[in-house]
Amino acid sequence: MSTYMAEIDPIAGPGEIMEVSMGPHHPSTHGVFRMDVRLDGEKVVRLKPVFGYLHRNHEKIAEHGAWLAAIPYTDRLDYLCSMTNNWGYVLAVEKLAGIQVPERAEYIRIIVAELTRFQNHAGLVGFLLQDMGASGTPLMYAFREREKVLDLFESLSGARMMCNYMRFGGLRVDCTPAWLDEVRHLVSRLPRFIDEFENLLRANEILMARTQGTGVLPRDLAINAGVTGPMLRASGVNYDIRKVDKYGIYDRFNFRVPLGDHGDVYDRYMMRILEMRESVKILEQALRDIPAGPIIDPKVRLRGLRPKAGEAYGRIESPKGELGFYLISNGTGDPYRYRVRPPSMINLTILEDMCLGQNIADVVIILGSVDIVLGEVDR
Amino acid sequence: MEQNLKELKIELSKNGIFTTTLEELYNWGRKNSVWPLTFGLACCAIEMIATTMARYDLARFGAEVFRPSPRQADLIIVSGTVTKKMAPQVVRLYNQMPEPKYVIAMGACAISGGPFRDGYNVLKGIDRYIPVDVHIPGCPPRPEALIHAFMTLQKKIEEQSLSGADRPRHLDADLPSEFPVPSFGEHGLEPPNNPDVFFNEPGNPLKVIQ
Amino acid sequence: MTTLPPVEDIKAQIEAAVPGCRITVIPNGSPSGQHSLLLDNDHARAAALFLRDHPSLRLDYCSLVTGVDWLDTETTEKVKVKKLVDGPEGSQQEQEVEETRKTKVPGHLESVYHLFSMEKKHGPVVLRLRTANRTDQTHLPSLTPVWRSAEFQEREAFDLYGIVFDGHPDLRRILMWDGFVDFPMRKDYVPPADDPLVEVQP
C-alpha cells in the first residue's frame, strides 16, 4: 500500500475503515484499471485511481520513428475507435505542416468518424448495462451492430479494428460506390436499431433507481477539471469541438448537441443514445452530398515528411472526449515531442469526487459511465 | 493395431455399442468444457469479447462461462500487451488457477512484445514468466483465429496421455504448477525472466546468447 | 467562437495585471500560428489566475499539460576578433580574424500548458514554464490549484521527466510503479538490457 493512504484522518474509529483494491483484474470490463477504495461500511470515503498497467510507451516509441510510422500506433490508443484516433493525429500534423485536404477525403473522414462514434456509444451502453447486471444481452445487441460497422471498415481499409486508414492530407485508399451503397443500406436501418436499443432498458425501474442521482458531476467542477465529451455535456456545458473548432467540414452539417440537466449516470447514458441519433443524421447528410474527386494531394511527402521546426496542437471530438495531439518538430523526419491528450485519463480526474458518499456497488456504474479505455489512459 | 482397434470401434458403434478408453473419455470431458478467465488486457481483449458474442460464439466450443475468479478457471487467454507493471499480477493470477491450466498468448504483444517491443515498460512476451501452450499471431488476431487457437488447444488436450513420461503437468507431482512472481525493481522487473520457463525446450531452434 | 487577441496583447494584459511578471513571447515556426508565452516561475500562478478569471479572456479550461526535455546543446558562433598575427618578414600585425566560439547552452525541462475557454469558445493560449536546468533545479510551480485538470498530467510530467511541481496536492508517480527511479521520457534515458540477444540457428 502506498504511503498516501496513511495520511488522512479516518471518519470512523480505527479498525472500522475497510480498504479494498478494485482491480487491476476485475469483472467490470474496462481493462486493467485499479481503484484503491476506502469504505466506511458500504459508503466510499476515499477513492484513488491507479493506472499505468497498460503504459506502452507510445510517446517514446513515436519519437524514434518517422511521422508516418506513428499512425498505426494511434490506432491502438483508444482501441475501439481507431478511425478517430487516426484523424486526430493527421489533423495535428496537417496543422503543423500546413497541408490541405481535398473535399472527398473530408466527407469520407466524417463518414467513418461518425460510424466509429455510433459503434463506440453502442458498445458503451452495452458495457454499462452489463455492469449494472443485465448480463450479456444488451452487449450482444451492441456488438451485433458493431460487427456490421467493422465489416464496412474491413472492406474499406483492410482491418476490422486497427484500420490505419488516414494519411497526412487525405486517406490511404478511396472507397468504391458499392461501399457507399452498403453504408447507405446500414444507415437506413440504424434508426430502428437505436429505437430498439433505447427501449430495451430506458424506462426500466432498476436502471432508473440505480442511475438517477448517482455520480453527479457539477458543471463548474467539470469545466475546471478538464472533462470533455459526452460526460461534460451531460453536466450541461455546451462544448462540442465539432461545433467550436469546426474542423474538417463539420460546419456544413446540420446536427444538434444534446445537453443533460443533472450530470448523473442516467444523463450520461442518455447522452450516448442521443448522440447516436445525431451521428445517424450526419451520416445521412454526408452520404447524400459526397462529391467525386481525389482523396489526397499527390505532392504531399508521406514517407519523408519533414515539417519545419515548430509546434502545433490539433484536436478532434472523439467519442470519448477531446482527443488532441501536441507535436513539436525540430525539422527532422522524427517528431521531437509527441504528446497525446488522453480524454479518458483526464475524465478520471474527478472520479473520486463523483464517488464520494456513494455505495461501493455504484462505483462500478459510475466508472462505466465515464467511458474509459485503458489504451488511451495509459498510452 | 491402432487401425484394427479403430475399425472395431466403428463396427461396434454401427451396432449401437459405443466403446472408448478411459483416456479418451477423460480428455473428451476436459477439452469440451474449458472455462476461460475473464482476462483482457488491451485491444486483443475486444476481439476476445467479439469472439464470445453472437456472431462468432465461442460458447459452442465449451467456453460457455468466462469465470471472473481464477480459482474457477481452466484457461487464461493473455490478450494484449503485458507491461512490466502488470506482469506480477498476471503471474499471480496464473498461480492461483488450479491444475490443469492452460495459457493462450493472444496477439503479437503477448507473444513477444509486439509493436511495443521497444518500450521501457513493456514485457517482451508473457512466456518469460509462465509457460504458454498456444500462441496466436496477429494484431489483433481475428475472432476466427482465436477459435482456431481454441481448437488447437482442444486437440492438444485430446492428445495428452494419462500416464507415461509425456503425461501433463497436473498428473506429474514433480513438475511445478506455480511460478515465482517477479518483483518491482528500480529499473525493471527482478528477475527479468524466469530461466526455467523462458527458452527451456530442448531442440528449440532459438539459442540465447547472453 | 470569439477570437482571442494576438499574443502580444495578452502578454501586455498579464504584465499590467501582475506587476513584476516577466513574459517572453516564443514564436512558433510552423503554419499553425500557435505562439507561446514563457512565464517566469515566481509569478506563474498569479498570471494563471488572471487568465482564468479575467472577464474577456476567461480561459477556464486547461486542456493539456506537457513535459518537454531539452538537452544541453552547444551553440557555435563566428566572432571577429583582433589578434596578433605573424606577418611577412617576421613582424607582427594586428588583424581581424574569424574565430569560432562554442558556448554550452544548458538544457532545461519545460512544462507547456494549452488553455482554452469553454465560456467564450476561444483558444488556444499556450503557456510555458521552464526549469533552470535538468539536474538539480527541476522545480516548477504547480498550476493544479488553478485548473484541476492539471492534476494527473503534472503527475505524469513528474513521473516521466522528473519535474517537481511545488504546490501539487498529491505528487507521486502515476504510470510507472513507485519504486522506479528513472525518468524514462528524458532524451538521455537508457533502458536496462533485459533482452538477451537471440540467434536463430539454421
Side-chain angles (χ1 to χ4, degrees), chain A residues 238 311 313 322 336-337, chain C residues 28 34 61 63 67 69 187:
Chain A
N238 184 1
E311 58 181 50
Y313 176 62
E322 172 183 328
Y336 184 81
R337 176 72 172 109
Chain C
N28 186 352
Q34 292 165 357
Y61 165 46
S63 165
D69 182 19
K187 295 283 182 183

Side-chain angles (χ1 to χ4, degrees), chain B residues 37-110:
Chain B
L37 179 67
T38 58
F39 188 69
L41 290 169
C43 346
C44 285
I46 306 296
E47 287 292 47
M48 188 173 73
I49 294 172
T51 315
T52 61
M53 288 289 126
R55 189 179 189 185
Y56 295 104
D57 197 15
L58 197 57
R60 49 194 166 127
F61 290 88
E64 170 63 40
V65 278
F66 271 65
R67 307 307 297 170
S69 162
R71 300 286 189 197
Q72 300 166 6
D74 300 315
L75 167 68
I76 180 170
I77 305 180
V78 182
S79 51
T81 321
V82 189
T83 56
K84 292 183 185 172
K85 193 168 179 179
M86 188 66 191
Q89 273 64 268
V90 180
V91 181
R92 239 180 236 127
L93 281 169
Y94 181 74
N95 287 345
Q96 287 175 355
M97 287 164 67
E99 289 279 6
K101 54 189 175 184
Y102 302 97
V103 179
I104 291 184
M106 177 177 179
C109 291

Side-chain angles (χ1 to χ4, degrees), chain B residues 181-200:
Chain B
V181 177
S183 61
F184 292 130
E186 293 194 335
H187 305 281
L189 288 174
E190 311 279 338
N193 58 57
N194 181 353
D196 298 325
V197 171
F198 189 43
F199 283 143
N200 193 29

Side-chain angles (χ1 to χ4, degrees), chain A residues 103-115:
Chain A
E103 206 174 310
R104 184 177 167 87
E106 295 276 24
Y107 272 93
I108 299 179
R109 278 185 181 181
I110 288 188
I111 293 173
V112 293
E114 294 305 317
L115 281 172

